[in-house]
Amino acid sequence: MRTLVIIPARGGSKGIPGKNIKPLGGKPLIYYAIDTARAIAPDCDICVTTDSPEIIRKVEDYGLEVPFVRPPELATDNSGSYEVILHALKFQESKGERYDTIVLLQPTSPFRRPEDVRGALSLFRNDIDMVVSVKESGANPYYNLFEETVEGYLGISKGKGGIKRRQDAPKVWEYNGAVYVINPESLKLGPMSGFRKIVKYEMDALHSLDLDTQLDWTIAEAIISQNYSNLREIE
């Protein structure tokens, strides 16, 4: 099974300015994604898609060729990941390359491990749309999520509110943004929001950390400084 690994890294970032190449634990954030990608695929099957000359320089300094500069229309605040992924896939296919799966690795998940990607890949089948990494959600619509009724009162979001203990509520999951294993044929039919055959790969909260705010970054630095679970090791 041949896999195309796509690492999206737009130059603009509002929550954490310049985050994709900002040093985390002594190395640019994007290098964590590249290290993980290299553990599962050869460099020729790793595609960093970016509009930023600075990111291109950092990636090529790390020995990985950036095959194209992302078009400006795919590098705005309103650009969707679907169009970015499809553009990268079509670029590779234009060179005669063919892939059985696409793995999307966002740079904002530095504690994702190669074993997480391999685990997600092991769940992939040709008859599904996607395998996606998740973590168990702390907010549960059967227990502690509420909606406002037409009368203006809060009511439990799902079910009738008869669950008294969280452990008795059905488990619910949230995407953690770490690993997406995508069926290329499904992608060509439309955006991932339309996917219906999705299989989960569960990760713990620590390795699910996604860097979106400065607080997230501070937490990541603290984790690395304490060397929790040898997070800096690439297996």
Side-chain angles (χ1 to χ4, degrees), residues 134-140 166 169-174 202-203 205:
V134 301
K135 64 177 180 178
E136 186 175 356
S137 177
N140 194 306
R166 183 184 169 195
K171 286 186 176 183
V172 292
W173 313 92
E174 60 180 288
E202 185 178 358
M203 293 173 59

Side-chain angles (χ1 to χ4, degrees), residues 10-86:
R10 189 167 67 90
S13 174
K14 294 180 179 178
I16 307 172
K19 67 182 176 184
N20 286 317
I21 54 176
K22 181 180 172 71
L24 176 69
K27 69 180 183 181
L29 179 63
I30 197 170
Y31 286 7
Y32 289 87
I34 294 173
D35 286 343
T36 300
R38 281 174 160 166
I40 63 165
D43 281 9
C44 62
D45 291 336
I46 301 172
C47 178
V48 173
T49 167
T50 182
D51 62 313
S52 166
E54 292 82 6
I55 292 176
I56 291 174
R57 281 196 294 270
K58 282 290 185 182
V59 171
E60 294 190 340
D61 284 347
Y62 210 42
L64 181 65
E65 180 184 355
V66 177
F68 56 80
V69 178
R70 190 191 301 181
E73 64 271 18
L74 297 181
T76 69
D77 289 341
N78 298 321
S79 299
S81 57
Y82 165 68
E83 291 82 8
V84 171
I85 299 166
L86 189 61

Side-chain angles (χ1 to χ4, degrees), residues 189-234:
L189 294 176
M192 292 179 287
S193 59
F195 287 178
R196 294 295 176 263
K197 297 179 179 179
I198 301 172
V199 173
K200 69 174 173 56
Y201 172 79
E202 185 178 358
M203 293 173 59
D204 61 38
L206 183 62
H207 294 93
S208 294
L209 183 62
D210 179 64
L211 306 188
D212 187 50
T213 67
Q214 188 58 53
L215 177 59
D216 298 329
W217 193 278
T218 300
I219 292 170
E221 289 279 14
I223 290 171
I224 289 176
S225 69
Q226 295 298 318
N227 198 27
Y228 292 158
S229 303
N230 295 316
L231 287 173
R232 284 177 287 184
E233 294 182 4
I234 295 297

Side-chain angles (χ1 to χ4, degrees), residues 4 19-20 33 93 95 100 110-111 115 119 131 139 143 159 168-169 176-177 191:
L4 172 64
K19 67 182 176 184
N20 286 317
E93 289 185 339
K95 299 191 299 181
D100 303 294
F111 302 143
E115 66 193 67
V131 179
Y143 179 68
D168 294 331
N176 65 7

Side-chain angles (χ1 to χ4, degrees), residues 89-145:
L89 174 63
K90 288 183 175 180
F91 178 87
Q92 292 295 105
E93 289 185 339
S94 72
K95 299 191 299 181
E97 307 292 350
R98 293 293 180 269
Y99 295 96
D100 303 294
T101 58
I102 299 167
V103 167
L104 177 67
L105 299 180
Q106 300 186 116
T108 48
S109 299
F111 302 143
R112 162 195 54 222
R113 300 158 296 180
E115 66 193 67
D116 295 317
V117 183
R118 295 188 192 106
L121 279 166
S122 72
L123 298 175
F124 180 78
R125 309 187 310 267
N126 289 331
D127 62 341
I128 66 173
D129 298 317
M130 179 169 68
V131 179
V132 65
S133 60
V134 301
K135 64 177 180 178
E136 186 175 356
S137 177
N140 194 306
Y142 294 93
Y143 179 68
N144 61 357
L145 281 179

Side-chain angles (χ1 to χ4, degrees), residues 176-196:
N176 65 7
V179 184
Y180 298 80
V181 180
I182 303 165
N183 188 327
E185 298 309 312
S186 298
L187 189 75
K188 292 173 184 177
L189 294 176
M192 292 179 287
S193 59
F195 287 178
R196 294 295 176 263

